[in-house]
């Protein structure tokens, strides 16, 4: 069995926790040991071998995918990470994965989003495996057994039963409350966005209902393919049209974490209904969600039903029943070209991460963390000098070809225009405080002379 | 005419804007050019010469007083700053000032709190001056003409009129709403805590009604005096007992800024009733006060009637009609020995200030700002080394007796145990990024070998 994980989503409704460059699926949420991408990946390992898992994402998330899989103790081949040059909704993403799988021959394939939270893992795995009984005839979708008349999800109306599950009668858009109540009474299921099919059957269906997509993928060049293919979802483009669709009910706890209100529902609250991730001071306050930095003193007095998310560079205060509107904030920030729509203060790189601690006139301070055995590119900057103070571990520093070791408590200095490289030759994390000085301090002032990760000059990745 | 400014108050109701070590009167509030202490001081200069102004405060605020007066372009003699070893309410503070004034001979003296906001300055000055007409016979209090039936202030009931103002019939405690409405109808005035008297008359009255205070001040030692004197307010201890009290109505805009709700009332709000000090994103939100760092992206969605104060190390979210309860948060933090009750991340020193940017395991990063011509003490630390990167101005650095100049963009390093001094020999601000490294990084690891400001080792002042 093959698996395609869709990991290119840029959901904006958990801002400021998530940002365009670090979306929901990769978030390390407090009280959870792993990101939901990592949980998805580990679930897939119970269905198949890690060699059989394909991940469709975009270039911005490539190193997040690699890094988070490495963190789980696994390796992933480059051929298993499919980079879409641009997002064109779910159908082209799945088709891209399918075409890659077909290089090894046709097979039964399961498709999972990577941004959904699922509990009851054993039942989940068993139900997914049952799909194989229908895969010779049907494209299978898994429908979540609903627990309440939710108006934020699409529904699936089943008709006559099959060996397992049912044929699908109709897909229904997000309903209003009254309709949702009816849907529940009539046994409709939530549309979860999880599918199973034989790749040859899937391709036949795409050829029939979406010939434009099929044609686009005949181009040898991925840029051309994504330039030509229409943007279309698998639901609208295929599932609603195909005559061979089955649905298997999936009776597990499931959430798309599509808003902070859904997020709130996933955790235990205290007696006053507060979900507090730290030891904050709550006076006469109830039914709030409070997510802040543990270093910060936060106090609430006399407030109720609020979502409060405090990050170093951004603060959201939102009434819980308005949490769908967080997207409007992100839209507003994008209009203003505000980088906080897209970036955290902490940026993840293939070699580790950095956090901007402070920006002032002509200077910027970063904490740089380099993973054991990794090195940054050999590079130079035209507009800034860099002071490095090692606060943890040992750095191997190359400046204009000369190598030195800089130990914890020691420092070094890189002049403007000098070629340099920072490397962690050790077995523990390397932490460096960098003070940059210069009249231009943006990340794109970088000339890369050599890079372990194949990155070019003037780019962020 | 002499002036006593009371500047020892530690009001906690504007936390986290104010902290015990940086209280309300010294705050530089956005949209205001000066602190209310500075505004008070400048008003006093319209009544008398700067040599005649005495300031009663405590050791923690001494350099704030000096610094903020210097900032206004004035100098203050050490004899004009009276340092109480411990707060014993208003009467001993005023008596301390009076005793000091009497060293120059008896005089008419005005007493002002430094934490009240006053507009209509010309009318204010003219009204205060009228008090001189009554000073030969009365202790005069200035009663604010009330604008609404406020339940947060004490009231003064006037009786028969004098040449100016009236004799006082009674002082009234904070009333309930209904009583306050009656008070307004009957022409009562707000008790403002501003007084005028002849020092000889004042001392006679203290001798009569508060002989314990009088006796305590006979000791030659200020520690003994404050050990012996009872803690007592001028209102309760003297004004309510004396038979020679007059009140002069003061028809000016006045606020004690005693809570964030009062704070909110002092500024213009937008059409939705929001008081926003920065360009934050407010969606479907009204009647909020939002005070944050301008570097931070703050968004409100669907929230109303909230006080939101966001500082780097602390966040308060409070319903506006609960703003009196902020004190409870400070009490809670004190119980927890949380330094954020008392300190900001920025600390003011006689030579300038520093801001803690980041604290990690075994390291701490500070931005140090040294005023032109000032120098830190010649000092050493037993437990930390310090890396200094100059980001603005030029530093004169002395390490083990050796002087060097470190210019913007350059850096230097002070080893653990080495004697060192940082100095700004220039005409512009010096800004240094300091990375401290060591197993113990608290401020009390300091041995002072020489200090321009008379400070000793192991102390913070």
């Amino acid at each position: 069995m093959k698996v395609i994980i869709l990991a290119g989503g840029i959901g904006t409704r958990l801002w400021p926790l998530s940002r365009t460059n670090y979306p929901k699926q990769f978030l390390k949420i407090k009280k959870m040991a792993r990101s939901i991408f990592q949980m998805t990946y580990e679930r897939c390992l119970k269905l198949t071998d890690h060699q059989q898992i394909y991940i469709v994402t975009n270039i911005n998330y490539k190193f997040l995918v690699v890094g988070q899989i490495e963190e789980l103790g696994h390796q992933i081949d480059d051929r298993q990470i499919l980079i879409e040059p641009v997002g064109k909704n779910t159908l082209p993403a799945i088709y891209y994965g399918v075409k890659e799988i077909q290089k090894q021959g046709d097979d039964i394939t399961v498709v999972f989003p990577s941004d959904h939270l699922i509990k009851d893992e054993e039942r989940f795995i068993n139900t997914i495996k049952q799909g194989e009984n229908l895969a010779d005839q049907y494209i299978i979708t898994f429908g979540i057994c609903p627990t309440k008349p939710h108006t934020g999800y699409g529904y699936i109306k089943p008709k006559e039963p099959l060996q397992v599950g049912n044929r699908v009668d109709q897909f229904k858009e997000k309903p209003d409350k009254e309709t949702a109540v009816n849907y529940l009474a009539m046994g409709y299921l939530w549309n979860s966005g999880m599918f199973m099919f034989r790749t040859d059957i899937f391709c036949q269906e795409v050829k029939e209902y979406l010939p434009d997509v099929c044609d686009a993928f005949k181009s040898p060049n991925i840029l051309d393919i994504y330039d030509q293919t229409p943007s279309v979802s698998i639901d609208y483009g295929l599932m609603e049209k195909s005559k061979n669709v089955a649905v298997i009910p999936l009776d597990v706890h499931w959430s798309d974490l599509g808003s902070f209100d859904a997020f709130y529902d996933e955790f235990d609250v205290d007696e006053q209904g507060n979900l507090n991730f730290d030891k904050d001071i709550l006076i006469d306050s109830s039914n709030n969600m409070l997510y802040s930095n543990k270093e910060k003193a936060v106090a609430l007095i006399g407030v109720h039903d609020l979502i409060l998310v405090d990050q170093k560079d951004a603060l959201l205060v939102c009434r819980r029943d308005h949490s769908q509107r967080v997207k409007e904030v992100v839209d507003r920030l994008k209009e203003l070209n505000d980088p906080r729509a897209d970036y955290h203060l902490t940026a993840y790189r293939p070699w580790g991460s950095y956090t901007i601690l402070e920006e002032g006139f002509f200077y910027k301070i970063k904490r740089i963390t380099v993973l054991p055995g990794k090195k940054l590119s050999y590079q130079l900057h035209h507009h800034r000098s860099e002071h490095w103070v090692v606060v943890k571990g040992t750095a191997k520093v190359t400046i204009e070809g000369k190598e030195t070791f800089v130990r914890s408590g020691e420092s070094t200095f890189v002049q403007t225009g000098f070629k340099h490289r920072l490397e962690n030759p050790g077995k523990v994390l390397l932490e460096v405080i960098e003070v940059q000085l210069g009249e231009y301090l943006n990340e794109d002032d970088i000339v890369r002379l050599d890079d372990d990760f194949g990155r070019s000059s003037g780019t962020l990745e």
Side-chain angles (χ1 to χ4, degrees), chain A:
Chain A
M1 193 191 290
K2 301 287 195 296
V3 173
I4 297 171
I5 297 177
L6 303 177
I10 54 162
T12 52
R13 287 196 189 132
L14 297 190
W15 183 92
L17 277 194
S18 67
R19 313 279 168 107
T20 316
N21 272 268
Y22 198 69
K24 187 172 67 175
Q25 59 269 30
F26 301 112
L27 279 181
K28 298 294 183 80
I29 295 163
K30 293 181 195 192
K31 300 191 178 183
M32 290 189 181
R34 300 196 162 151
S35 75
I36 41 180
F37 169 78
Q38 287 177 317
M39 291 189 256
T40 305
Y41 187 83
E42 292 209 313
R43 262 196 315 272
C44 294
L45 289 176
K46 298 194 172 160
L47 283 169
T48 190
D49 181 75
H50 75 93
Q51 299 275 356
Q52 314 303 324
I53 300 172
Y54 292 77
I55 294 160
V56 186
T57 187
N58 63 58
I59 191 67
N60 290 322
Y61 308 156
K62 182 181 175 188
F63 298 114
L64 283 167
V65 165
V66 174
Q68 294 207 342
I69 289 174
E70 275 186 8
E71 212 177 58
L72 298 173
H74 302 290
Q75 292 288 330
I76 182 159
D77 272 9
D78 250 6
R79 66 164 181 92
Q80 292 169 267
I81 304 186
L82 309 177
I83 303 297
E84 294 188 291
V86 59
K88 291 269 182 152
N89 213 328
T90 46
L91 194 112
I94 295 166
Y95 196 65
Y96 188 7
V98 166
K99 296 309 268 182
E100 195 62 32
I101 286 165
Q102 286 185 320
K103 290 179 184 172
Q104 323 277 328
D106 281 307
D107 201 350
I108 291 177
T109 297
V110 211
V111 178
F112 295 122
S114 62
D115 56 355
H116 294 171
L117 189 70
I118 289 164
K119 295 174 188 171
D120 314 308
E121 200 145 286
E122 198 178 322
R123 194 184 302 165
F124 176 85
I125 299 297
N126 290 337
T127 308
I128 298 294
K129 282 181 176 164
Q130 285 179 20
E132 294 183 272
N133 299 311
L134 303 179
D136 283 342
Q137 277 183 278
Y138 297 97
I139 294 185
I140 302 134
T141 179
F142 297 91
I144 309 292
C145 301
T147 51
K148 59 180 178 182
H150 206 292
T151 57
Y153 300 142
Y155 284 74
I156 298 168
K157 179 184 177 187
K159 53 181 180 180
E160 80 269 15
L162 298 167
Q163 178 189 0
V164 287
N166 300 70
R167 285 181 68 105
V168 167
D169 189 350
Q170 260 188 305
F171 288 85
K172 299 284 192 184
E173 301 284 316
K174 295 174 186 175
D176 59 26
K177 195 81 186 181
E178 197 184 345
T179 312
V181 170
N182 283 333
Y183 285 177
L184 253 67
M186 294 189 290
Y188 290 17
L189 301 160
W190 286 339
N191 185 354
S192 72
M194 294 183 271
F195 310 98
M196 179 187 271
F197 46 73
R198 268 179 35 197
T199 47
D200 52 338
I201 295 179
F202 181 78
C203 287
Q204 281 162 23
E205 299 284 294
V206 173
K207 197 170 179 180
E208 181 164 354
Y209 298 107
L210 293 153
D212 290 355
V213 176
C214 206
D215 288 345
F217 273 79
K218 285 174 184 156
S219 169
N221 180 309
I222 193 68
L223 292 174
D224 290 342
I225 290 172
Y226 272 80
D227 193 38
Q228 287 162 36
T229 185
S231 182
V232 59
S233 73
I234 182 171
D235 294 277
Y236 178 81
L238 196 69
M239 304 304 280
E240 295 183 14
K241 289 171 183 148
S242 170
K243 286 165 190 69
N244 302 304
V245 180
V247 61
I248 297 180
L250 191 51
D251 188 13
V252 296
H253 178 97
W254 175 89
S255 169
D256 73 344
L257 294 181
S259 69
F260 279 117
D261 216 24
F263 190 98
Y264 172 91
D265 288 337
E266 291 308 313
F267 296 88
D268 293 333
V269 297
D270 69 15
E271 282 173 18
Q272 284 73 44
N274 291 309
L275 170 56
N276 187 1
F277 288 83
D278 289 295
K279 287 177 180 166
D280 297 311
I281 297 175
L282 276 62
I283 297 174
D284 189 14
S285 295
S286 66
N287 302 318
N288 301 290
M289 183 192 113
L290 181 45
Y291 196 107
S292 63
N293 286 320
K294 72 173 193 301
E295 298 82 19
K296 191 151 173 175
V298 181
L300 307 190
I301 306 173
V303 299
H304 309 278
D305 303 302
L306 291 187
I307 301 287
L308 284 134
V309 182
D310 184 45
Q311 306 257 287
K312 273 193 178 175
D313 61 342
L315 168 64
L316 172 74
V317 183
C318 173
R319 240 175 67 188
R320 269 181 49 211
D321 55 3
H322 281 50
S323 69
Q324 298 286 342
R325 302 182 65 185
V326 170
K327 195 181 176 310
E328 295 175 35
V329 174
V330 180
D331 292 344
R332 198 81 73 89
L333 289 171
K334 290 198 173 186
E335 275 166 35
L336 298 167
N337 280 320
D338 191 312
R340 289 166 293 198
D342 298 328
Y343 300 101
H344 280 284
L345 289 176
T346 296
Y348 294 86
R349 294 287 180 265
W351 43 261
S353 66
Y354 69 77
T355 301
I356 298 170
L357 302 179
E358 182 80 3
E359 292 185 86
F361 278 115
F362 300 117
Y363 73 90
K364 189 191 269 187
I365 307 173
K366 287 180 177 179
R367 182 182 49 237
I368 297 173
T369 303
V370 187
L371 298 165
K374 302 279 181 181
K375 52 175 179 262
L376 284 70
S377 57
Y378 193 46
Q379 56 188 236
L380 66 83
H381 312 293
H382 290 302
H383 301 288
R384 65 177 188 254
S385 61
E386 294 177 343
H387 294 258
W388 291 338
V389 181
V390 175
V391 296
K392 196 175 165 195
T394 296
K396 185 170 159 190
V397 173
T398 310
I399 299 177
E400 290 287 322
K402 187 165 174 280
E403 288 181 0
T404 51
F405 287 89
V406 185
R407 289 170 183 79
S408 172
E410 298 177 346
S411 62
T412 191
F413 170 59
V414 182
Q415 288 185 50
T416 305
F418 276 38
K419 294 188 279 290
H420 61 278
R421 166 169 256 164
L422 180 63
E423 181 175 351
N424 181 357
K427 300 287 183 199
V428 297
L429 278 187
L430 167 66
E431 255 184 70
V432 175
I433 302 299
E434 173 179 273
V435 183
Q436 301 180 350
L437 291 151
E439 77 277 23
Y440 182 82
L441 300 169
N442 289 340
E443 296 301 324
D444 59 355
D445 173 22
I446 184 166
V447 178
R448 288 204 173 88
L449 305 153
D450 178 42
D451 185 56
D452 276 7
F453 311 99
R455 300 168 303 163
S456 56
S457 294
T459 60
L460 307 185
E461 347 110 32

